[in-house]
Amino acid sequence: MVGISAIIEANFICIILVAWILYELKSNIDQQVSNVVFTYVATATLIMLVVSSTLTFFDSRPGQLQYAAISILSAIYHGLSGFTAAMWAVLVITASPLYNIKKRPPKLVIYLPAIPAVILAVLSAVSIRTGYIFHINPATNTEEPGPLHVLYQLVTYSYFTISGLYIIRELVKAKLPTSQKIIKLSHIIMIVSAGLIHYLIPELKVIWHVLAVSLAMRFTYSKIRQISIDFLSETNNRRSFDNYLNGLLNGDKKVSITLMMCDLDYFKEINDVYGHIEGDNALKTAARMLKSACSNQPAYLARIGGDEFAIICSDCPAETACDIRNTIYELFEENNALSEVSYKLNISVGIAEFTDSMKDAQELIEAADKELYREKKRHHT
């Protein structure tokens, strides 16, 4: 048997962890679907951990009050488990790059998967009287499985299985950073392990500890992305760019460095005429094409401000930057030919290579900027 104190200690640590996440979210959360669902999952997980700890504390303690407390807490625990697992599955789906909020299915299709969780919640509530899912042995004040207890396990772990299958689909179809792939694989491994542990040692319900750790991993990853990633374009931000470029210049190993400064042509007119929302859409479109041009190339892309992007090519032939620039121009031309918007989205790209005469990153940036404006004049004449 697993020690009661060890279970309560593990629950306490996870409760503190999830409570801290919720506290941080309270002041920083925006209303994106995945962020709202994340808050719901974290809240439900916190409740599950608190209920589990309280159940462990009251378990086997004699008395009518203890009997009533264990009965009510067991109903809450089993009833909420299905909803918590279902919300985790919704979080995995809505936070995925494969999810398209504009192509949501009808409401009936959305709510249909919740039916098993609702049935489990109802059966758990009436189990206080009927003992369908669980019953409390009045002689020992311990919870024992009822004839339909397997339904609790089936419903809960079915939702976790669905989320695991969706993550596998995401890993196969979506282009994800290596760090994000590791996190998603960790979710699958931890949940499968928790299910096996629960099957082998029924009193050790570590699935909620695993969920708490998984939420912490997702939360930490999102915070790291806020530090290094530009939210609008989903590229590296200025801070990340400066750190990367200075790291190359000051590193022990000297490598060739070519900097490409990219600037959208007449972007202010797009903002003035069509509005800032359309301007944001134009930036996203530009970022998508720049990412495509840099894919499969030794190139580092960042948005460094406004409508300016920068690409760093390191330890590669100088021709690589020219090839990337040509690809960028081709992609923008193709986009203008196919786009349904009433404006043309064009870009100018200046290229400069770091030379021995340059002292620091600022001189390289200034050199690339000069080439950029030469390129702009060529486009505008």
Side-chain angles (χ1 to χ4, degrees):
M1 295 287 290
V2 180
I4 292 177
S5 61
I7 295 174
I8 293 178
E9 285 174 10
N11 285 349
F12 180 74
I13 292 171
C14 290
I15 287 169
I16 295 298
L17 180 63
V18 178
W20 170 75
I21 291 173
L22 285 170
Y23 175 79
E24 288 292 317
L25 286 173
K26 187 177 180 181
S27 57
N28 298 317
I29 190 76
D30 59 46
Q31 295 303 307
Q32 289 188 49
V33 173
S34 60
N35 290 337
V36 173
V37 176
F38 185 96
T39 305
Y40 290 159
V41 177
T43 302
T45 303
L46 181 63
I47 295 171
M48 293 298 295
L49 289 165
V50 171
V51 171
S52 176
S53 298
T54 312
L55 266 173
T56 303
F57 176 78
F58 280 118
D59 190 52
S60 302
R61 293 178 182 269
Q64 288 297 318
L65 182 61
Q66 287 80 353
Y67 176 86
I70 294 171
S71 298
I72 294 170
L73 289 169
S74 293
I76 295 172
Y77 181 89
H78 290 90
L80 189 56
S81 64
F83 284 113
T84 307
M87 284 189 287
W88 169 257
V90 173
L91 173 62
V92 168
I93 293 170
T94 55
S96 167
L98 301 178
Y99 175 73
N100 188 345
I101 193 169
K102 295 180 180 179
K103 296 183 179 179
R104 285 189 297 179
K107 285 187 177 181
L108 179 63
V109 177
I110 293 175
Y111 294 124
L112 199 61
I115 292 177
V118 173
I119 294 173
L120 176 60
V122 172
L123 289 175
S124 298
V126 300
S127 289
I128 296 175
R129 292 277 188 180
T130 63
Y132 288 147
I133 302 296
F134 66 90
H135 69 271
I136 309 303
N137 188 329
T140 59
N141 268 5
T142 56
E143 179 191 308
E144 296 178 356
L148 297 180
H149 187 265
V150 68
L151 186 64
Y152 148 70
Q153 295 175 321
L154 183 63
V155 171
T156 302
Y157 286 100
S158 290
Y159 287 123
F160 285 125
T161 301
I162 290 170
S163 67
L165 292 173
Y166 195 90
I167 289 173
I168 292 172
R169 176 174 176 263
E170 189 178 355
L171 291 171
V172 171
K173 290 194 172 184
K175 291 182 179 179
L176 302 172
T178 303
S179 56
Q180 199 170 358
K181 288 181 180 178
I182 293 171
I183 290 174
K184 290 182 179 294
L185 281 172
S186 299
H187 292 334
I188 296 175
I189 294 169
M190 288 191 298
I191 288 174
V192 170
S193 301
L196 289 173
I197 292 171
H198 189 189
Y199 176 77
L200 296 172
I201 313 174
E203 69 272 16
L204 194 58
K205 302 177 181 70
V206 296
I207 185 63
W208 311 118
H209 304 91
V210 164
L211 207 56
V213 172
S214 296
L215 289 169
M217 291 172 68
R218 280 179 171 263
F219 182 74
T220 303
Y221 180 76
S222 69
K223 286 295 183 182
I224 292 172
R225 281 178 61 81
Q226 287 178 17
I227 294 171
S228 60
I229 302 296
D230 175 67
F231 177 76
L232 181 65
S233 64
E234 287 288 307
T235 63
N236 298 294
N237 61 17
R238 180 59 190 253
R239 176 178 177 176
S240 180
F241 165 79
D242 289 338
N243 290 339
Y244 183 80
L245 181 56
N246 286 316
L248 289 175
L249 293 173
N250 300 323
D252 295 332
K253 182 184 176 183
K254 296 301 179 183
V255 296
S256 61
I257 302 171
T258 304
L259 177 62
M260 306 170 63
M261 297 295 286
C262 313
D263 190 85
L264 297 180
D265 296 338
Y266 302 114
F267 179 72
K268 185 177 181 301
E269 292 182 8
I270 296 175
N271 267 335
D272 292 344
V273 175
Y274 300 97
H276 289 281
I277 293 177
E278 188 57 41
D280 287 349
N281 291 333
L283 283 170
K284 291 176 184 177
T285 301
R288 175 176 53 78
M289 290 186 286
L290 290 171
K291 288 179 194 175
S292 178
C294 293
S295 63
N296 302 319
Q297 295 280 8
Y300 178 93
L301 172 65
R303 181 185 175 208
I304 58 175
D307 59 336
E308 276 193 308
F309 294 83
I311 301 170
I312 301 172
C313 299
S314 61
D315 202 20
C316 60
E319 294 78 15
T320 300
C322 294
D323 292 340
I324 293 174
R325 178 166 63 180
N326 291 336
T327 302
I328 291 171
Y329 287 161
E330 289 171 5
L331 288 172
F332 272 73
E333 286 179 9
E334 291 173 6
N335 176 74
N336 287 331
L338 299 173
S339 177
E340 296 180 357
V341 298
S342 55
Y343 58 83
K344 298 294 184 182
L345 188 60
N346 295 311
I347 194 168
S348 296
V349 182
I351 301 174
E353 189 173 358
F354 189 79
T355 62
D356 293 336
S357 62
M358 294 179 180
K359 296 178 182 178
D360 52 26
Q362 187 58 39
E363 290 193 11
L364 175 61
I365 292 171
E366 289 173 0
D369 264 332
K370 288 180 181 178
E371 293 300 321
L372 167 65
Y373 286 103
R374 285 196 187 99
E375 191 75 2
K376 273 190 174 291
K377 285 181 180 179
R378 187 177 69 82
H379 284 172
H380 296 173
T381 56

